[in-house]
Amino acid sequence: MNKLKIHLIAAARPNFMKIAPLYHALKKESWADPIIVHTGQHYDLNMSDVFFSDLMLPEPHLHLGVGSGSHAEQTGRVMIAYEQALIEEIPDLVVVVGDVNSTMACSLAAVKLGFKTAHLEAGLRSFDRTMPEEINRLVTDSVADILWTPSRDGDDNLIREGASTGKIDRVGNIMIDSMELIRSKIEAEAVYKKYDLEPENYAVVTLHRPSNVDDPDKLKQLCRTLVRQSEKIPMVFPVHPRTRKNIDKADMNGDLSKALNLKLLEPISYRSFMNLVFNCRLAITDSGGIQEETTYLGIACITLRPNTERPITIEQGTNQLSRADELESKVNQALAGPVRKRCSIDLWDGRTAERVVRSIQKHLNILK
Ligand code: UD1
Protein backbone atom coordinates (compact mmCIF):
# COMPACT_ATOMS: atom_id res chain seq x y z
CA MET A 1 0.00 0.00 0.00
CA ASN A 2 1.26 3.47 -0.90
CA LYS A 3 1.65 5.66 2.13
CA LEU A 4 -0.52 8.78 2.31
CA LYS A 5 1.47 11.99 1.95
CA ILE A 6 0.56 14.39 4.72
CA HIS A 7 1.99 17.90 4.53
CA LEU A 8 2.58 19.51 7.92
CA ILE A 9 2.98 23.25 7.40
CA ALA A 10 5.39 24.99 9.75
CA ALA A 11 6.17 28.65 9.39
CA ALA A 12 6.79 30.62 12.52
CA ARG A 13 8.03 29.92 16.03
CA PRO A 14 4.67 29.02 17.62
CA ASN A 15 4.00 26.49 14.84
CA PHE A 16 6.93 24.21 15.52
CA MET A 17 5.58 22.84 18.82
CA LYS A 18 2.21 22.28 17.17
CA ILE A 19 3.52 20.10 14.34
CA ALA A 20 6.13 18.16 16.34
CA PRO A 21 3.83 15.79 18.29
CA LEU A 22 1.78 15.12 15.16
CA TYR A 23 4.89 14.42 13.09
CA HIS A 24 6.08 11.87 15.69
CA ALA A 25 2.64 10.25 15.98
CA LEU A 26 2.21 9.94 12.19
CA LYS A 27 5.72 8.54 11.80
CA LYS A 28 4.55 5.50 13.80
CA GLU A 29 1.66 4.77 11.43
CA SER A 30 2.32 2.36 8.56
CA TRP A 31 -0.07 4.24 6.23
CA ALA A 32 1.29 7.75 6.78
CA ASP A 33 4.18 9.68 5.29
CA PRO A 34 4.40 13.00 7.19
CA ILE A 35 6.24 15.69 5.22
CA ILE A 36 7.36 18.90 6.93
CA VAL A 37 6.94 22.00 4.80
CA HIS A 38 8.71 25.08 6.25
CA THR A 39 7.51 28.29 4.61
CA GLY A 40 10.49 30.25 5.98
CA GLN A 41 8.34 32.94 7.66
CA HIS A 42 10.71 32.63 10.62
CA TYR A 43 14.27 31.98 9.53
CA ASP A 44 16.73 33.04 12.28
CA LEU A 45 18.59 30.19 13.95
CA ASN A 46 17.03 30.96 17.35
CA MET A 47 13.53 31.53 15.93
CA SER A 48 13.46 28.30 13.95
CA ASP A 49 16.36 25.79 13.87
CA VAL A 50 16.72 25.36 17.63
CA PHE A 51 13.05 24.42 17.84
CA PHE A 52 13.58 21.63 15.34
CA SER A 53 16.42 20.16 17.40
CA ASP A 54 14.62 20.60 20.75
CA LEU A 55 11.53 18.86 19.40
CA MET A 56 13.53 16.08 17.69
CA LEU A 57 12.24 17.06 14.27
CA PRO A 58 14.22 16.29 11.11
CA GLU A 59 15.25 19.08 8.72
CA PRO A 60 12.16 20.28 6.85
CA HIS A 61 11.57 18.14 3.75
CA LEU A 62 10.54 21.22 1.76
CA HIS A 63 11.68 24.77 2.44
CA LEU A 64 9.85 27.61 0.69
CA GLY A 65 12.24 30.32 1.96
CA VAL A 66 9.74 33.21 1.85
CA GLY A 67 11.16 35.33 4.71
CA SER A 68 9.67 38.57 6.07
CA GLY A 69 7.61 41.25 4.38
CA SER A 70 4.35 43.14 4.64
CA HIS A 71 1.23 41.03 5.18
CA ALA A 72 0.33 40.99 1.50
CA GLU A 73 3.92 40.32 0.40
CA GLN A 74 4.39 37.47 2.86
CA THR A 75 0.98 35.93 2.20
CA GLY A 76 1.37 36.25 -1.56
CA ARG A 77 4.88 34.80 -1.60
CA VAL A 78 3.80 31.79 0.49
CA MET A 79 0.79 31.17 -1.77
CA ILE A 80 2.89 31.29 -4.95
CA ALA A 81 5.65 29.06 -3.57
CA TYR A 82 3.30 26.56 -1.94
CA GLU A 83 1.04 26.29 -4.99
CA GLN A 84 4.07 25.12 -6.97
CA ALA A 85 5.04 22.64 -4.23
CA LEU A 86 1.48 21.26 -4.18
CA ILE A 87 1.49 20.69 -7.93
CA GLU A 88 4.80 18.82 -7.71
CA GLU A 89 4.02 16.86 -4.54
CA ILE A 90 0.27 16.04 -4.74
CA PRO A 91 -0.25 15.48 -0.98
CA ASP A 92 -3.26 13.49 0.29
CA LEU A 93 -3.79 15.93 3.14
CA VAL A 94 -2.50 19.38 4.07
CA VAL A 95 -2.35 20.21 7.78
CA VAL A 96 -2.03 23.86 8.79
CA VAL A 97 -1.67 24.94 12.42
CA GLY A 98 -2.27 28.09 14.47
CA ASP A 99 -2.99 31.50 13.03
CA VAL A 100 0.06 32.99 11.32
CA ASN A 101 0.11 34.43 7.80
CA SER A 102 1.49 31.18 6.36
CA THR A 103 -1.42 29.23 7.90
CA MET A 104 -3.92 31.23 5.89
CA ALA A 105 -1.74 31.38 2.75
CA CYS A 106 -1.19 27.62 2.58
CA SER A 107 -4.87 26.86 3.27
CA LEU A 108 -5.95 29.13 0.43
CA ALA A 109 -3.40 27.67 -2.00
CA ALA A 110 -4.37 24.10 -1.07
CA VAL A 111 -8.17 24.34 -1.10
CA LYS A 112 -8.19 26.25 -4.38
CA LEU A 113 -6.38 23.34 -6.00
CA GLY A 114 -8.81 20.91 -4.38
CA PHE A 115 -6.44 19.41 -1.78
CA LYS A 116 -8.07 18.25 1.44
CA THR A 117 -7.00 20.66 4.17
CA ALA A 118 -7.18 20.41 7.95
CA HIS A 119 -6.73 23.16 10.53
CA LEU A 120 -5.25 22.25 13.89
CA GLU A 121 -6.24 24.84 16.56
CA ALA A 122 -9.46 25.76 14.78
CA GLY A 123 -12.28 27.85 16.22
CA LEU A 124 -10.33 30.25 18.44
CA ARG A 125 -11.68 33.79 18.23
CA SER A 126 -10.63 37.05 19.88
CA PHE A 127 -13.48 38.86 18.05
CA ASP A 128 -10.90 41.57 17.36
CA ARG A 129 -10.46 42.05 13.64
CA THR A 130 -7.62 44.51 14.11
CA MET A 131 -5.44 41.47 14.93
CA PRO A 132 -3.87 39.95 11.81
CA GLU A 133 -4.20 36.53 13.46
CA GLU A 134 -8.00 36.89 13.80
CA ILE A 135 -8.28 37.43 10.04
CA ASN A 136 -6.02 34.41 9.46
CA ARG A 137 -8.16 32.27 11.77
CA LEU A 138 -11.46 33.32 10.17
CA VAL A 139 -10.24 32.72 6.62
CA THR A 140 -8.54 29.42 7.41
CA ASP A 141 -11.54 28.01 9.28
CA SER A 142 -13.98 29.07 6.58
CA VAL A 143 -12.10 27.18 3.85
CA ALA A 144 -10.62 24.13 5.65
CA ASP A 145 -12.28 20.71 5.27
CA ILE A 146 -11.40 19.42 8.74
CA LEU A 147 -11.46 21.58 11.89
CA TRP A 148 -9.59 20.32 14.94
CA THR A 149 -10.50 22.39 18.00
CA PRO A 150 -8.68 22.61 21.35
CA SER A 151 -11.69 23.29 23.56
CA ARG A 152 -15.48 23.59 23.59
CA ASP A 153 -15.48 27.35 22.89
CA GLY A 154 -13.78 26.55 19.57
CA ASP A 155 -16.65 24.24 18.56
CA ASP A 156 -19.22 26.85 19.64
CA ASN A 157 -17.58 29.61 17.59
CA LEU A 158 -17.40 27.44 14.48
CA ILE A 159 -21.00 26.27 14.76
CA ARG A 160 -22.18 29.87 15.27
CA GLU A 161 -20.33 30.80 12.06
CA GLY A 162 -22.12 28.04 10.18
CA ALA A 163 -19.46 25.30 9.98
CA SER A 164 -21.00 21.87 9.59
CA THR A 165 -20.57 19.70 12.67
CA GLY A 166 -19.23 16.85 10.53
CA LYS A 167 -16.07 18.89 9.91
CA ILE A 168 -15.35 19.54 13.59
CA ASP A 169 -13.41 17.17 15.83
CA ARG A 170 -12.47 18.36 19.31
CA VAL A 171 -8.99 16.94 19.83
CA GLY A 172 -7.53 19.06 22.64
CA ASN A 173 -4.44 21.21 22.87
CA ILE A 174 -1.44 19.96 20.89
CA MET A 175 0.97 22.37 22.67
CA ILE A 176 0.53 20.32 25.82
CA ASP A 177 1.72 17.25 23.89
CA SER A 178 4.98 19.03 23.03
CA MET A 179 5.53 20.04 26.60
CA GLU A 180 4.90 16.51 27.83
CA LEU A 181 7.02 15.04 25.00
CA ILE A 182 10.17 16.70 26.32
CA ARG A 183 9.15 17.36 29.94
CA SER A 184 12.11 15.43 31.36
CA LYS A 185 14.54 17.46 29.26
CA ILE A 186 12.82 20.71 30.27
CA GLU A 187 13.01 19.75 33.92
CA ALA A 188 16.64 18.66 33.66
CA GLU A 189 17.77 22.24 33.02
CA ALA A 190 18.06 25.06 35.57
CA VAL A 191 18.14 27.98 33.18
CA TYR A 192 17.06 30.48 35.86
CA LYS A 193 20.40 29.95 37.63
CA LYS A 194 22.23 31.32 34.61
CA TYR A 195 20.45 34.63 35.20
CA ASP A 196 20.89 34.61 39.00
CA LEU A 197 17.19 34.01 39.54
CA GLU A 198 15.55 31.97 42.28
CA PRO A 199 12.82 29.46 41.43
CA GLU A 200 9.29 30.81 41.95
CA ASN A 201 10.64 34.29 42.56
CA TYR A 202 10.86 35.88 39.12
CA ALA A 203 8.61 36.80 36.22
CA VAL A 204 9.03 35.75 32.58
CA VAL A 205 8.15 38.51 30.13
CA THR A 206 7.47 38.28 26.39
CA LEU A 207 6.03 40.95 24.09
CA HIS A 208 5.74 40.95 20.34
CA ARG A 209 2.19 41.91 19.24
CA PRO A 210 2.18 44.83 16.80
CA SER A 211 -0.49 46.48 19.00
CA ASN A 212 2.01 46.58 21.90
CA VAL A 213 5.36 47.06 20.25
CA ASP A 214 4.90 48.93 16.95
CA ASP A 215 3.79 52.24 18.45
CA PRO A 216 6.87 53.82 20.12
CA ASP A 217 4.82 55.62 22.80
CA LYS A 218 2.97 52.46 23.81
CA LEU A 219 6.22 50.49 23.84
CA LYS A 220 7.91 53.14 26.01
CA GLN A 221 5.00 53.07 28.45
CA LEU A 222 5.16 49.29 28.67
CA CYS A 223 8.94 49.19 29.10
CA ARG A 224 8.85 51.85 31.83
CA THR A 225 6.11 49.97 33.65
CA LEU A 226 8.09 46.74 33.45
CA VAL A 227 11.19 48.50 34.81
CA ARG A 228 9.19 49.75 37.80
CA GLN A 229 7.59 46.35 38.45
CA SER A 230 10.97 44.61 38.24
CA GLU A 231 11.87 46.33 41.52
CA LYS A 232 9.12 44.18 43.08
CA ILE A 233 9.89 40.93 41.30
CA PRO A 234 12.97 40.24 39.14
CA MET A 235 12.19 39.74 35.47
CA VAL A 236 13.68 37.89 32.53
CA PHE A 237 12.63 39.02 29.06
CA PRO A 238 13.68 37.12 25.90
CA VAL A 239 13.16 39.76 23.21
CA HIS A 240 11.46 38.91 19.89
CA PRO A 241 13.20 40.38 16.76
CA ARG A 242 10.22 42.67 16.02
CA THR A 243 10.36 44.04 19.59
CA ARG A 244 14.15 44.35 19.50
CA LYS A 245 13.96 46.53 16.37
CA ASN A 246 11.28 48.69 17.93
CA ILE A 247 13.16 49.07 21.23
CA ASP A 248 16.12 50.32 19.19
CA LYS A 249 13.91 52.69 17.19
CA ALA A 250 12.21 54.03 20.34
CA ASP A 251 15.67 54.56 21.87
CA MET A 252 14.78 52.55 24.98
CA ASN A 253 18.02 50.57 25.36
CA GLY A 254 19.56 53.02 27.85
CA ASP A 255 16.57 52.94 30.23
CA LEU A 256 16.26 49.16 29.97
CA SER A 257 19.92 48.41 30.57
CA LYS A 258 19.86 50.53 33.77
CA ALA A 259 17.17 48.27 35.25
CA LEU A 260 19.26 45.75 37.16
CA ASN A 261 16.33 43.40 37.85
CA LEU A 262 15.08 43.25 34.27
CA LYS A 263 17.26 40.99 32.14
CA LEU A 264 16.84 41.25 28.38
CA LEU A 265 17.87 38.15 26.42
CA GLU A 266 18.03 37.12 22.81
CA PRO A 267 15.16 34.75 21.83
CA ILE A 268 15.90 31.37 23.44
CA SER A 269 15.17 27.74 22.64
CA TYR A 270 11.85 26.03 23.44
CA ARG A 271 13.44 23.83 26.07
CA SER A 272 15.21 26.70 27.86
CA PHE A 273 12.19 28.96 27.62
CA MET A 274 9.90 26.29 29.04
CA ASN A 275 12.35 25.73 31.89
CA LEU A 276 12.07 29.45 32.72
CA VAL A 277 8.27 29.15 32.62
CA PHE A 278 8.15 25.95 34.70
CA ASN A 279 10.06 27.70 37.50
CA CYS A 280 8.67 31.23 37.37
CA ARG A 281 6.27 32.92 39.79
CA LEU A 282 4.46 34.84 37.09
CA ALA A 283 4.33 35.34 33.31
CA ILE A 284 3.66 38.72 31.68
CA THR A 285 2.99 38.29 27.99
CA ASP A 286 1.00 39.02 24.87
CA SER A 287 1.58 35.56 23.40
CA GLY A 288 -1.26 33.10 22.81
CA GLY A 289 0.69 29.95 23.62
CA ILE A 290 2.07 31.19 26.94
CA GLN A 291 -1.47 31.87 28.20
CA GLU A 292 -2.18 28.17 27.60
CA GLU A 293 1.10 26.78 28.90
CA THR A 294 0.84 28.73 32.17
CA THR A 295 -2.77 27.63 32.63
CA TYR A 296 -1.80 23.99 32.18
CA LEU A 297 0.97 24.47 34.74
CA GLY A 298 -1.28 26.47 37.11
CA ILE A 299 0.99 29.54 36.95
CA ALA A 300 -0.34 33.11 37.12
CA CYS A 301 -0.25 34.94 33.79
CA ILE A 302 -0.94 38.58 32.97
CA THR A 303 -1.83 39.08 29.33
CA LEU A 304 -1.14 42.57 28.02
CA ARG A 305 -4.05 42.61 25.60
CA PRO A 306 -7.65 43.85 25.62
CA ASN A 307 -8.97 40.42 24.60
CA THR A 308 -7.96 36.81 24.16
CA GLU A 309 -8.94 34.04 21.75
CA ARG A 310 -8.22 31.65 24.61
CA PRO A 311 -11.00 32.54 27.13
CA ILE A 312 -10.67 29.16 28.82
CA THR A 313 -7.41 30.39 30.40
CA ILE A 314 -9.34 33.22 32.07
CA GLU A 315 -12.12 30.86 33.20
CA GLN A 316 -9.52 28.66 34.90
CA GLY A 317 -8.44 31.69 36.95
CA THR A 318 -4.75 31.64 36.04
CA ASN A 319 -4.82 34.25 33.29
CA GLN A 320 -5.98 37.86 33.45
CA LEU A 321 -6.06 40.56 30.81
CA SER A 322 -4.38 43.88 31.53
CA ARG A 323 -3.80 47.31 30.07
CA ALA A 324 -0.35 48.83 30.57
CA ASP A 325 -1.71 51.24 33.19
CA GLU A 326 -3.25 48.35 35.17
CA LEU A 327 -0.12 46.23 35.23
CA GLU A 328 1.02 47.32 38.68
CA SER A 329 -2.24 46.33 40.38
CA LYS A 330 -2.44 43.06 38.40
CA VAL A 331 1.11 42.15 39.43
CA ASN A 332 0.23 42.86 43.08
CA GLN A 333 -2.89 40.74 42.78
CA ALA A 334 -1.00 37.85 41.14
CA LEU A 335 1.76 37.93 43.76
CA ALA A 336 -0.83 37.83 46.54
CA GLY A 337 -2.39 34.70 45.03
CA PRO A 338 -1.24 31.07 45.17
CA VAL A 339 2.13 30.10 43.65
CA ARG A 340 0.50 27.25 41.75
CA LYS A 341 -3.20 26.67 41.13
CA ARG A 342 -4.70 23.30 40.27
CA CYS A 343 -6.16 23.50 36.76
CA SER A 344 -7.71 20.90 34.56
CA ILE A 345 -9.10 21.28 31.06
CA ASP A 346 -10.71 18.42 29.23
CA LEU A 347 -8.41 16.96 26.52
CA TRP A 348 -5.36 19.03 27.50
CA ASP A 349 -3.60 15.83 28.41
CA GLY A 350 -0.65 15.23 26.09
CA ARG A 351 -2.68 12.88 23.87
CA THR A 352 -3.99 15.30 21.28
CA ALA A 353 -1.72 14.00 18.49
CA GLU A 354 -3.21 10.49 18.94
CA ARG A 355 -6.73 11.92 18.56
CA VAL A 356 -5.67 13.85 15.45
CA VAL A 357 -4.29 10.63 13.93
CA ARG A 358 -7.62 8.88 14.57
CA SER A 359 -9.50 11.80 13.06
CA ILE A 360 -7.32 11.65 9.93
CA GLN A 361 -8.10 7.92 9.65
CA LYS A 362 -11.81 8.68 9.91
CA HIS A 363 -11.78 11.52 7.37
CA LEU A 364 -9.53 9.73 4.86
CA ASN A 365 -11.28 6.36 5.32
CA ILE A 366 -8.19 4.53 6.51
CA LEU A 367 -8.94 1.24 8.19
CA LYS A 368 -6.83 0.37 11.24
C1 UD1 B 1 4.40 36.11 13.68
C2 UD1 B 1 2.89 35.87 13.65
C3 UD1 B 1 2.33 35.93 15.07
C4 UD1 B 1 3.09 35.01 16.01
C5 UD1 B 1 4.56 35.38 15.94
C6 UD1 B 1 5.42 34.53 16.86
C7 UD1 B 1 1.68 36.66 11.66
C8 UD1 B 1 0.76 37.70 11.17
N1 UD1 B 1 2.19 36.89 12.89
O1 UD1 B 1 4.60 37.46 14.11
O2 UD1 B 1 0.98 35.52 15.04
O3 UD1 B 1 2.60 35.18 17.32
O4 UD1 B 1 5.00 35.20 14.58
O5 UD1 B 1 6.73 34.96 16.81
O6 UD1 B 1 1.92 35.69 10.98
N2 UD1 B 1 12.13 38.53 12.10
C9 UD1 B 1 13.46 38.19 12.24
N3 UD1 B 1 13.78 36.86 12.21
C10 UD1 B 1 12.87 35.89 12.03
C11 UD1 B 1 11.52 36.26 11.86
C12 UD1 B 1 11.17 37.57 11.91
O7 UD1 B 1 14.31 39.05 12.41
O8 UD1 B 1 13.26 34.70 12.00
C13 UD1 B 1 11.75 39.96 12.17
C14 UD1 B 1 11.65 40.56 10.81
O9 UD1 B 1 12.14 41.84 10.85
C15 UD1 B 1 10.16 40.64 10.55
C16 UD1 B 1 9.60 40.80 11.96
O10 UD1 B 1 10.50 40.08 12.80
O11 UD1 B 1 9.80 41.67 9.70
C17 UD1 B 1 8.22 40.23 12.11
O12 UD1 B 1 8.16 38.88 11.61
P1 UD1 B 1 6.78 38.27 11.04
O13 UD1 B 1 6.94 36.85 10.72
O14 UD1 B 1 6.24 39.17 9.98
O15 UD1 B 1 5.78 38.45 12.25
P2 UD1 B 1 5.97 38.19 13.82
O16 UD1 B 1 5.91 39.51 14.49
O17 UD1 B 1 7.13 37.29 14.12
Side-chain angles (χ1 to χ4, degrees):
M1 169 183 144
N2 280 342
K3 290 189 176 197
L4 296 185
K5 273 195 197 176
I6 302 178
H7 276 189
L8 304 178
I9 309 291
R13 189 168 60 176
N15 294 161
F16 306 132
M17 47 287 220
K18 293 173 193 163
I19 62 149
L22 184 53
Y23 175 80
H24 294 301
L26 286 169
K27 251 334 226 191
K28 292 190 200 136
E29 299 292 326
S30 58
W31 50 269
D33 180 16
I35 295 167
I36 298 176
V37 182
H38 193 324
T39 68
Q41 179 169 343
H42 283 175
Y43 42 82
D44 285 354
L45 188 74
N46 56 3
M47 292 294 283
S48 178
D49 302 30
V50 289
F51 286 78
F52 275 72
S53 49
D54 275 0
L55 295 160
M56 299 165 290
L57 288 171
E59 293 267 302
H61 304 92
L62 286 173
H63 207 301
L64 308 181
V66 296
S68 301
S70 69
H71 287 285
E73 283 166 347
Q74 200 171 52
T75 307
R77 282 205 296 264
V78 174
M79 285 184 72
I80 293 166
Y82 189 49
E83 181 178 62
Q84 196 50 44
L86 284 164
I87 292 166
E88 285 162 20
E89 285 266 320
I90 319 280
D92 296 283
L93 178 68
V94 172
V95 176
V96 295
V97 300
D99 54 16
V100 303
N101 284 343
S102 303
T103 308
M104 175 182 75
C106 290
S107 331
L108 284 176
V111 293
K112 285 199 166 198
L113 289 180
F115 290 99
K116 201 171 254 249
T117 302
H119 183 206
L120 180 51
E121 204 186 79
L124 299 188
R125 296 289 180 268
S126 65
F127 303 99
D128 175 0
R129 291 197 183 198
T130 64
M131 277 183 87
E133 294 80 4
E134 182 74 353
I135 306 298
N136 294 337
R137 291 188 280 260
L138 284 162
V139 173
T140 304
D141 287 342
S142 69
V143 297
D145 303 289
I146 306 171
L147 299 166
W148 289 314
T149 57
S151 45
R152 170 153 224 121
D153 52 296
D155 301 31
D156 295 344
N157 291 332
L158 292 168
I159 289 164
R160 201 177 41 250
E161 288 167 13
S164 82
T165 49
K167 284 182 167 189
I168 305 170
D169 275 337
R170 197 181 324 145
V171 292
N173 189 333
I174 195 87
M175 303 258 289
I176 308 305
D177 288 34
S178 270
M179 205 195 287
E180 290 302 336
L181 186 73
I182 68 156
R183 181 187 271 272
S184 57
K185 290 185 189 165
I186 293 170
E187 288 176 340
E189 296 205 24
V191 179
Y192 54 87
K193 278 193 190 156
K194 205 165 136 191
Y195 304 110
D196 294 327
L197 298 165
E198 289 163 27
E200 298 179 357
N201 190 28
Y202 65 89
V204 178
V205 179
T206 79
L207 283 180
H208 74 284
R209 295 274 160 215
S211 58
N212 280 330
V213 305
D214 285 4
D215 170 9
D217 291 334
K218 176 99 189 264
L219 182 60
K220 276 186 193 164
Q221 185 196 9
L222 277 171
C223 288
R224 289 189 182 129
T225 311
L226 288 170
V227 169
R228 275 199 308 278
Q229 295 313 302
S230 70
E231 284 157 21
K232 206 178 293 160
I233 178 154
M235 294 184 180
V236 62
F237 179 7
V239 184
H240 184 283
R242 174 192 283 276
T243 311
R244 165 60 64 201
K245 276 192 197 163
N246 289 328
I247 286 176
D248 294 346
K249 261 200 250 162
D251 207 14
M252 283 304 292
N253 281 307
D255 294 44
L256 288 168
S257 61
K258 274 187 237 145
L260 298 178
N261 285 335
L262 174 59
K263 295 191 173 63
L264 268 55
L265 317 178
E266 290 298 305
I268 56 174
S269 73
Y270 175 65
R271 191 164 136 184
S272 299
F273 183 73
M274 286 317 302
N275 181 267
L276 285 178
V277 173
F278 269 47
N279 292 289
C280 75
R281 176 69 179 86
L282 168 68
I284 301 174
T285 190
D286 57 11
S287 143
I290 297 167
Q291 296 173 54
E292 298 180 334
E293 286 157 345
T294 48
T295 292
Y296 180 68
L297 296 167
I299 295 171
C301 178
I302 300 173
T303 299
L304 284 162
R305 284 178 44 189
N307 48 55
T308 177
E309 60 289 335
R310 291 152 162 104
I312 202 159
T313 59
I314 310 255
E315 284 157 28
Q316 290 286 319
T318 44
N319 187 20
Q320 46 176 338
L321 302 176
S322 174
R323 291 192 310 265
D325 64 356
E326 294 172 314
L327 187 62
E328 176 165 9
S329 66
K330 301 272 171 165
V331 168
N332 292 342
Q333 218 177 307
L335 295 181
V339 175
R340 295 288 183 268
K341 202 170 175 297
R342 190 182 287 276
C343 289
S344 133
I345 302 178
D346 193 29
L347 307 181
W348 291 28
D349 57 359
R351 305 188 68 180
T352 290
E354 283 173 36
R355 289 186 284 270
V356 172
V357 169
R358 285 203 295 277
S359 172
I360 294 176
Q361 287 181 297
K362 179 182 81 181
H363 284 278
L364 299 189
N365 296 319
I366 297 153
L367 297 174
K368 254 256 178 233

